[in-house]
């Protein structure tokens, strides 16, 4: 019995670790750094990475943290209704990010990826009014699509995170299979469509 409990606890800890590490604002950090570094290896990559990360990660994390503390919520915000206001603040941060990156002349893919984050979150917000679609799944599949576009087949390596995210969120009982699958499909399809329309393949 002790062995069973230990195994269950280990799985839950591992699932929590994956869930925390693949939180969309955290996951966006290495993605923007990689893209900016390769596109701007002459030195400007650090500046545009900083700007990107501020609007896609730091500001959303700060606003969500303040909201969670104010309302005394779980960090994961398991109730669908609790997500609405934080998502509105995140969308505002993305809007500012798009405007700043475009004004500063950031690389096209960097700006387009920020646009993808904005539009995907708008759609996610609308769905969240009625159904608890997975933010984790959508937030992993979206940047995975950008890296596939950028690197070609080697970009699929990032997609290895997707089944791990699905398993962790299912194991923690944060989502149903349908919510995770739909989040994954929309993350890939919406991001691919926007890249195609704004950049082309």
């Amino acid at each position: 019995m002790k062995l069973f409990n230990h195994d269950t606890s280990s799985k839950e800890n591992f699932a929590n670790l994956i869930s925390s590490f693949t939180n969309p604002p955290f996951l966006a950090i290495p993605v923007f750094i990689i893209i900016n570094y390769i596109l701007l290896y002459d030195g400007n990559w650090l500046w545009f990475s900083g700007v990107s990360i501020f609007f896609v990660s730091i500001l959303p994390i700060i606003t969500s943290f303040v909201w969670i503390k104010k309302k005394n919520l779980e960090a994961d915000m398991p109730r669908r209704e609790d997500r609405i206001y934080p998502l509105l603040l995140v969308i505002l941060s993305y809007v500012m990010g798009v405007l700043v990156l475009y004004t500063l002349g950031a690389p096209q893919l960097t700006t387009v990826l920020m646009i993808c984050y904005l539009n995907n979150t708008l759609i996610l917000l609308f769905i969240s009014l009625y159904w608890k679609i997975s933010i984790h799944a959508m937030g992993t599949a979206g940047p995975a699509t950008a890296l596939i576009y950028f690197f070609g087949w080697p970009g699929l390596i990032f997609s290895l995170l997707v089944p791990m995210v699905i398993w962790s969120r299912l194991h923690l009982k944060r989502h149903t299979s349908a919510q995770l699958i739909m989040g994954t499909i929309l993350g890939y399809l919406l991001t691919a469509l926007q890249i195609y329309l704004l950049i082309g393949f």
Side-chain angles (χ1 to χ4, degrees), residues 42-54:
D42 60 350
N44 288 333
W45 69 272
L46 191 58
W47 162 246
F48 282 112
S49 293
V51 172
S52 304
I53 290 168
F54 177 77

Side-chain angles (χ1 to χ4, degrees), residues 42-104:
D42 60 350
N44 288 333
W45 69 272
L46 191 58
W47 162 246
F48 282 112
S49 293
V51 172
S52 304
I53 290 168
F54 177 77
F55 289 107
V56 82
S57 300
I58 297 175
L59 198 52
I61 288 171
I62 291 173
T63 54
S64 296
F65 178 78
V66 170
W67 176 255
I68 288 168
K69 284 295 183 183
K70 181 180 179 181
K71 296 296 182 179
N72 196 27
L73 304 172
E74 289 184 53
D76 239 0
M77 287 184 285
R79 294 197 319 148
R80 173 181 56 80
E81 309 83 54
D82 294 331
R83 311 160 133 205
I84 307 304
Y85 186 71
L87 282 174
L88 287 170
L89 294 177
V90 169
I91 287 168
L92 180 60
S93 180
Y94 292 163
V95 169
M96 291 188 291
V98 170
L99 293 174
V100 171
L101 287 173
Y102 181 78
T103 302
L104 294 176

Side-chain angles (χ1 to χ4, degrees), residues 16 29 57 131 151 164 166 171 181:
N16 274 311
I29 294 173
S57 300
W131 194 52
F151 290 106
M164 297 174 67
I166 291 174
H171 185 79
I181 291 170

